[in-house]
Amino acid sequence: MYYTLTGGEHPFGARMQRDSNVVARKFDLSALDQFPEAQALIRACIDDDPSKRPSTKEILAHPMWWDAEKKIQFLIDASDRVELEDRMSDRTMLREFESCATKAIACADWTVKLDKELLENLGRYREYDGSSLRDLLRVIRNKANHYRELPPRLQRKLGSYPDGFWNYVSTRFPYLLLHVRAFFITRTPSANEATLVKYFTTV
């Protein structure tokens, strides 16, 4: 996969150093910095512990292969699932979810990464907490579901739906999808729920 995606490069370097790099666990996946889903999958595939490497089914279910529409829909479904926790007396899941915020958002306040026009539009309907991962998913869900109702100027800023919209989200939050998916995949009950299971398994 790495060879194909990078036009002939190898994660463990040039031929003469490759064997020693494999033994030393010295690899370089920086050629895929702009494709974090692929980078994450290949990193998992070359783990020196065979038990930690993904199975074929897990590889085929990985978001590296998803199109823009499926990536957005996953974040929408994840957002809906998180919102269900409002009805629960135990808020443990919400606290654990928010503990992923710093890595998923890669900043202290996600609002600083959004354009002024989008922030103004958001402010018309409710207040959002820029440090909250849950609130960022709310924004993505709401703007995706109501994309056609957005002002034309804001639509142009966000890009066409779904590809342009996903590009807008992913360039600002490149690790959001991976961290949100990782959170749910490790929570066995949630990963097996009807609305989410399709994102973790293949037929």
Side-chain angles (χ1 to χ4, degrees):
M1 284 190 290
Y2 192 81
Y3 181 94
T4 302
L5 290 169
T6 61
E9 294 188 33
H10 195 287
F12 290 97
R15 186 180 301 276
M16 297 301 293
Q17 292 82 37
R18 197 168 296 161
D19 287 349
S20 61
N21 284 343
V22 169
V23 173
R25 301 299 305 148
K26 183 179 179 182
F27 58 86
D28 181 7
L29 304 180
S30 60
L32 293 177
D33 282 348
Q34 302 306 311
F35 195 174
E37 292 88 5
Q39 192 178 67
L41 177 56
I42 292 171
R43 182 179 287 108
C45 287
I46 62 175
D47 196 294
D48 59 338
D49 183 347
S51 68
K52 295 181 180 179
R53 297 175 198 155
S55 67
T56 301
K57 285 188 175 182
E58 289 171 330
I59 290 172
L60 293 175
H62 196 274
M64 170 184 166
W65 312 108
W66 300 356
D67 60 16
E69 189 168 19
K70 186 170 182 178
K71 291 175 179 177
I72 295 169
Q73 190 58 52
F74 167 70
L75 293 180
I76 291 173
D77 289 342
S79 178
D80 287 341
R81 179 61 186 82
V82 171
E83 295 299 334
L84 287 177
E85 292 301 302
D86 264 344
R87 305 172 188 174
M88 308 297 178
S89 57
D90 183 358
R91 296 301 182 90
T92 301
M93 179 180 170
L94 280 177
R95 290 193 296 271
E96 291 177 354
F97 186 70
E98 288 300 343
S99 72
C100 303
T102 302
K103 290 183 178 179
I105 301 170
C107 66
D109 183 349
W110 50 259
T111 64
V112 301
K113 295 188 176 184
L114 302 184
D115 288 284
K116 179 181 177 182
E117 292 91 340
L118 178 54
L119 292 174
E120 290 176 349
N121 182 268
L122 294 176
R124 295 176 184 174
Y125 303 100
R126 62 172 300 159
E127 291 185 3
Y128 292 92
D129 179 357
S131 66
S132 170
L133 180 55
R134 176 189 184 184
D135 274 12
L136 177 57
L137 291 192
R138 278 174 171 166
V139 168
I140 294 170
R141 180 191 64 192
N142 293 341
K143 296 313 167 187
N145 287 337
H146 300 284
Y147 179 84
R148 295 186 182 280
E149 301 166 23
L150 297 175
R153 182 177 176 181
L154 184 52
Q155 286 188 21
R156 289 192 295 272
K157 181 71 70 172
L158 295 177
S160 60
Y161 191 89
D163 296 284
F165 184 82
W166 174 248
N167 184 63
Y168 184 92
V169 171
S170 63
T171 54
R172 287 161 176 78
F173 310 103
Y175 300 103
L176 176 65
L177 175 66
L178 290 170
H179 282 290
V180 172
R181 184 174 182 269
F183 173 81
F184 283 105
I185 206 170
T186 56
R187 298 182 64 88
T188 303
S190 298
N192 289 328
E193 292 175 9
T195 56
L196 294 176
V197 68
K198 61 181 176 289
Y199 298 109
F200 307 118
T201 61
T202 56
V203 178

